[in-house]
Amino acid sequence: MKKKLLLLGLLMCHYFSFCQIQDAWVYLTDKENVQASIDNPITILTQKAIDRKSAHGVVVDERDVPVNENYISQLKMQTGITVMAKSKWFNAVHVRGSEVDINALSSLGFVASIDFADKSLNTARTAQPKNKFSVEESQYDFVYGSTQPQVEMIDADDLHLQDFTGEGMTVAVIDAGFPNVNTMAAFQRLRDNGDLLDGYDFVDRTSNVYAFTGSNHGTKVLSTMAGFIQDQYVGTAPDASYYLFRTEDVNSENPVEESYWVEAAERADSLGVDVINSSLGYGSFYDNSNYNYAASDFNGLIAYVTRGANIAFEKGLLIVNSAGNEGDAGVNAPADSEYVFSIGAVDANGIIAWFSSRGSAYQLTQKPDVVAQGKGAYVVSETGSIVANDGTSFSSPIMAGGVTSLWQALPNATNAEVMDYVRQSASQYTTPDYDYGYGIPDLGLALNIGLSLEKDDLSEIKIFPNPVNLILYIKVPEDFEQSTISIYNVLGKLVLQKNITETVNPIDVSSIASGLYIVNLQSEQTTKTFKLIKS
């Protein structure tokens, strides 16, 4: 009898462990009408998105094709399964259910693999590799009021004086909630100009993003970019257009928020958005600690949300993300990515804030990238009051608005180039560290750097082909003296250097990774700089 009771107890224990509710990503095998969609992209993307991709040399590919809705319908019909989110970029669906019910999905022919948020549940199967808040004139001579210190710190006011206020640029704000943005006086200018475009709540699956859902965080974040109160308050990109996406559920911390974030980024891409601001961070403090990523996982390659951000960058978007408020505990995802512009926080005197997340050797590139005011930053609350708040949540959008205005001034630049210009303009570009990154940027200087590269006369010296795959040719005039060719990545790191002695010089670049590079040709006669894409 005792043996029977013991066996029953073990079975019940085993049963209940499998009945605990889990989160997982289900990766699917294929999509419908892929080639037809790629050949006729207006069926899956807006014209603005197509134009932006074309302008920056971004191809429409299979990742732009939506998830097969028939597969999603079948998943919803499975026992114990709730579909929470979907991703066309990953061809994946975020589901919730018991471990046994989720595992049962592997029997479906269209399920390629399953990746549990609880990493310990993936040990017995092949899982997908893993790639928070955190008057019309020819010139705008604003009276900034409360925002003067935070705007002038990064020299965004210099851009405004040159008519670069974000006009014609589109920003997506991915955040927690945007109460009263549709009625507040601080956004009246935005609404009157038709620049408050649309929004969506991915948590509650509703287009009403203006209801109070437990947080006014998104409203405050938006104000630092788009807010305008005559002679009292001016954001860093007051004339840009904005989409508002809620992906953060303040009532819980769960990996499904990573999936919501990726959905929002996909939506932003399909709408032709240029810049994403995300004052969010994930991966260290989930309610279920089994879902947390290890410190070494914050290397820009592992977290689901980071891998989504990496694809967003490939699609031509510029993602600005708060580094985080974890101090020495380090940056979270997606700020860990080399393709995300991660922003730390300083006070009005330019001193690093105690809470600003520090970078570490776990990140493959310098983190944070740069810093802006996040301690004592002025925001507009949902009541319309101008208040001082602390957090990298605000240094990020202050910088995002500035970067948006900068990109307006440099429309031919790529996302990677814009980030590089900002880094080069920063106060400690040659001596970065884990606290300040490259330091406090000077966006006026960044503009001059960008313009100087654009004005280079390339008629006598040529590099080809561009993009290049294996062999790059450097052609110089016959009387050109011996020179040195240096190739740098977007972070300023030297990746290849060679002496040039002939009129036409072949250079083997097969060992260089795909991406954007800066080529510098230097001799006693001249110095030339080129943009190079390695395919």
Side-chain angles (χ1 to χ4, degrees):
M1 184 65 177
K2 287 183 179 179
K3 288 183 179 180
K4 289 182 179 180
L5 289 174
L6 178 59
L7 179 59
L8 179 61
L10 290 172
L11 287 173
M12 291 294 285
C13 224
H14 178 75
Y15 174 77
F16 283 122
S17 69
F18 274 78
C19 282
Q20 291 178 351
I21 298 301
Q22 301 290 341
D23 280 67
W25 292 278
V26 177
Y27 292 84
L28 308 178
T29 55
D30 60 351
K31 294 180 176 182
E32 285 186 308
N33 305 318
V34 173
Q35 194 56 51
S37 297
I38 293 173
D39 292 342
N40 192 20
I42 195 63
T43 63
I44 56 175
L45 299 168
T46 64
Q47 189 61 53
K48 189 177 188 303
I50 296 170
D51 293 343
R52 176 179 55 77
K53 291 174 186 290
S54 177
H56 297 298
V58 177
V59 299
V60 178
D61 58 27
E62 185 172 350
R63 291 173 299 182
D64 295 297
V65 179
V67 179
N68 190 322
E69 288 295 334
N70 180 50
Y71 292 164
I72 296 177
S73 296
Q74 292 187 55
L75 288 172
K76 289 179 178 179
M77 294 171 60
Q78 304 306 305
T79 301
I81 297 298
T82 301
V83 172
M84 304 298 295
K86 62 183 177 181
S87 168
K88 64 180 180 181
W89 288 346
F90 291 112
N91 197 22
V93 178
H94 189 117
V95 301
R96 185 170 291 167
S98 69
E99 182 185 352
V100 66
D101 287 339
I102 293 175
N103 276 327
L105 299 177
S106 61
S107 65
L108 299 173
F110 56 82
V111 172
S113 62
I114 298 172
D115 181 19
F116 281 87
D118 183 343
K119 311 334 179 257
S120 67
L121 303 181
N122 290 321
T123 56
R125 64 181 57 80
T126 301
Q128 285 285 327
K130 298 178 183 72
N131 238 337
K132 227 161 195 190
F133 300 140
S134 27
V135 205
E136 294 187 2
E137 300 174 324
S138 60
Q139 293 183 334
Y140 289 100
D141 189 4
F142 293 122
V143 176
Y144 291 96
S146 299
T147 63
Q148 183 170 340
Q150 62 206 47
V151 173
E152 290 187 347
M153 177 180 285
I154 60 174
D155 204 21
D157 55 317
D158 188 16
L159 299 180
H160 295 172
L161 283 172
Q162 299 180 65
D163 275 356
F164 302 124
T165 56
E167 182 71 39
M169 302 294 290
T170 306
V171 180
V173 184
I174 302 179
D175 218 279
F178 304 90
N180 300 338
V181 169
N182 57 331
T183 59
M184 288 170 54
F187 300 111
Q188 188 65 49
R189 187 173 188 267
L190 188 70
R191 297 192 299 271
D192 289 347
N193 291 337
D195 286 328
L196 185 58
L197 299 181
D198 199 1
Y200 191 74
D201 183 335
F202 288 89
V203 180
D204 292 335
R205 300 292 166 178
T206 174
S207 59
N208 181 14
V209 293
Y210 307 119
F212 183 74
T213 55
S215 174
N216 62 2
H217 192 265
T219 299
K220 292 179 176 180
V221 165
L222 177 65
S223 72
T224 66
M225 294 179 280
F228 181 85
I229 303 174
Q230 186 70 47
D231 298 338
Q232 298 181 55
Y233 193 99
V234 184
T236 47
D239 291 323
S241 300
Y242 293 87
Y243 288 99
L244 311 181
F245 299 135
R246 178 192 173 215
T247 65
E248 177 71 11
D249 185 353
V250 297
N251 297 312
S252 65
E253 289 296 326
N254 185 280
V256 72
E257 293 168 298
E258 295 187 57
S259 295
Y260 296 151
W261 194 101
V262 172
E263 277 194 290
E266 292 176 355
R267 179 79 64 93
D269 176 54
S270 68
L271 291 168
V273 163
D274 301 296
V275 176
I276 289 176
N277 180 79
S278 166
S279 291
L280 303 170
Y282 300 103
S284 294
F285 303 103
Y286 287 130
D287 296 338
N288 183 342
S289 60
N290 292 327
Y291 294 168
N292 291 344
Y293 297 105
S296 59
D297 290 336
F298 294 106
N299 61 4
L301 303 171
I302 301 298
Y304 184 83
V305 67
T306 298
R307 293 189 289 127
N310 292 345
I311 295 175
F313 175 86
E314 287 183 49
K315 296 296 182 180
L317 286 86
L318 198 164
I319 305 98
V320 184
N321 208 99
S322 58
N325 297 327
E326 280 70 55
D328 290 334
V331 300
N332 286 332
D336 59 327
S337 168
E338 66 175 299
Y339 303 112
V340 170
F341 206 48
S342 309
I343 315 301
V346 294
D347 64 17
N349 296 314
I351 305 301
I352 194 71
W354 63 269
F355 53 79
S356 183
S357 286
R358 271 58 168 179
S360 73
Y362 289 127
Q363 286 81 60
L364 304 180
T365 56
Q366 181 67 55
K367 294 297 173 183
D369 287 274
V370 294
V371 293
Q373 187 171 351
K375 183 172 177 57
Y378 281 93
V379 303
V380 184
S381 73
E382 83 282 8
T383 65
S385 301
I386 300 173
V387 296
N389 274 190
D390 294 347
T392 58
S393 287
F394 308 116
S395 59
S396 177
I398 288 170
M399 183 59 64
V403 167
T404 299
S405 297
L406 175 64
W407 207 356
Q408 177 198 357
L410 299 167
N412 297 321
T414 66
N415 51 359
E417 289 172 325
V418 171
M419 290 192 290
D420 191 42
Y421 301 155
V422 178
R423 292 189 193 102
Q424 290 187 49
S425 77
S427 58
Q428 52 182 51
Y429 177 63
T430 59
T431 57
D433 58 37
Y434 290 147
D435 292 345
Y436 296 84
Y438 292 100
I440 300 173
D442 180 334
L443 298 182
L445 175 58
L447 174 57
N448 289 334
I449 292 171
L451 290 174
S452 69
L453 292 175
E454 286 188 348
K455 290 178 180 178
D456 275 341
D457 180 8
L458 308 181
S459 61
E460 295 183 356
I461 302 171
K462 299 183 183 295
I463 66 170
F464 59 93
N466 191 5
V468 63
N469 185 17
L470 299 177
I471 304 298
L472 177 69
Y473 293 90
I474 311 293
K475 183 179 180 180
V476 299
E478 291 185 2
D479 59 348
F480 202 76
E481 295 181 0
Q482 183 173 333
S483 58
T484 301
I485 186 78
S486 303
I487 302 179
Y488 300 87
N489 64 18
V490 294
L491 301 177
K493 180 181 179 181
L494 180 67
V495 297
L496 189 150
Q497 191 171 68
K498 185 177 180 180
N499 290 330
I500 299 296
T501 58
E502 305 293 336
T503 303
V504 179
N505 301 266
I507 298 177
D508 185 351
V509 294
S510 59
S511 62
I512 300 177
S514 298
L516 177 70
Y517 293 87
I518 303 298
V519 179
N520 179 263
L521 183 67
Q522 186 167 14
S523 72
E524 292 183 0
Q525 294 172 312
T526 188
T527 296
K528 295 289 185 181
T529 302
F530 308 83
K531 293 177 289 187
L532 176 68
I533 298 176
K534 173 62 165 61
S535 60

